[in-house]
Amino acid sequence: QAFTELQAKVLDTQQKVKLADLQIEQLSKTKKHAHLTDTEVMMLVDETRMYEGVGRMFILQPKGVIHNQLLEKQRIAEEKIKELEQKKSYLERSVKEAEDNIREMLMARRAQ
């Protein structure tokens, strides 16, 4: 019974690792998109009229506000990526420990 519990734990943890990978990939795309947008925005003259999409409408915003929002978006994505990478490394260690326990149980059974 302990063997099946360990197997279930390994499978569950592996799924969580895959989910973390997907989330990291998505956040990396978001960060890159914000960076590229910010690069393009900074090339425009300061008098350019810029609009921020809010729901189904657009609000006129100064260039500085748009720039700050894009930088904030990049910073938040970076923080979340770091958190997810830490969580992923913890989960990977957990998987390794569970696999080692399974191996030990199998060796103990073979020895009997």
Side-chain angles (χ1 to χ4, degrees):
Q1 184 179 357
F3 180 76
T4 56
E5 288 175 8
L6 279 173
Q7 277 185 321
K9 180 180 177 185
V10 167
L11 291 174
D12 183 50
T13 308
Q14 285 174 339
Q15 287 177 340
K16 288 180 181 176
V17 168
K18 288 178 185 176
L19 179 64
D21 278 335
L22 290 173
Q23 289 174 330
I24 287 171
E25 184 180 333
Q26 185 64 39
L27 285 168
S28 296
K29 287 179 183 178
T30 300
K31 181 182 166 194
K32 185 175 182 179
H33 182 267
H35 175 71
L36 292 172
T37 304
D38 187 46
T39 304
E40 291 296 319
V41 164
M42 293 313 291
M43 282 194 249
L44 300 171
V45 267
D46 290 341
E47 292 78 35
T48 306
R49 296 171 67 93
M50 296 185 191
Y51 295 88
E52 174 190 5
V54 179
R56 295 170 62 182
M57 66 179 179
F58 295 93
I59 298 175
L60 181 63
Q61 294 282 20
K63 181 179 173 181
V65 171
I66 300 289
H67 173 66
N68 289 338
Q69 288 174 345
L70 291 168
L71 290 178
E72 182 70 10
K73 195 174 190 179
Q74 291 177 56
R75 187 187 63 76
I76 290 171
E78 186 65 37
E79 287 176 3
K80 288 182 180 178
I81 287 172
K82 286 180 184 175
E83 288 174 17
L84 285 168
E85 285 174 347
Q86 289 175 350
K87 179 181 173 184
K88 181 181 161 189
S89 66
Y90 168 76
L91 290 171
E92 287 172 343
R93 283 194 307 267
S94 177
V95 166
K96 180 142 179 46
E97 288 174 12
E99 287 174 346
D100 290 343
N101 289 342
I102 289 173
R103 281 192 200 96
E104 288 176 15
M105 290 175 74
L106 290 175
M107 293 295 199
R109 281 195 181 157
R110 288 181 185 159
Q112 289 178 351

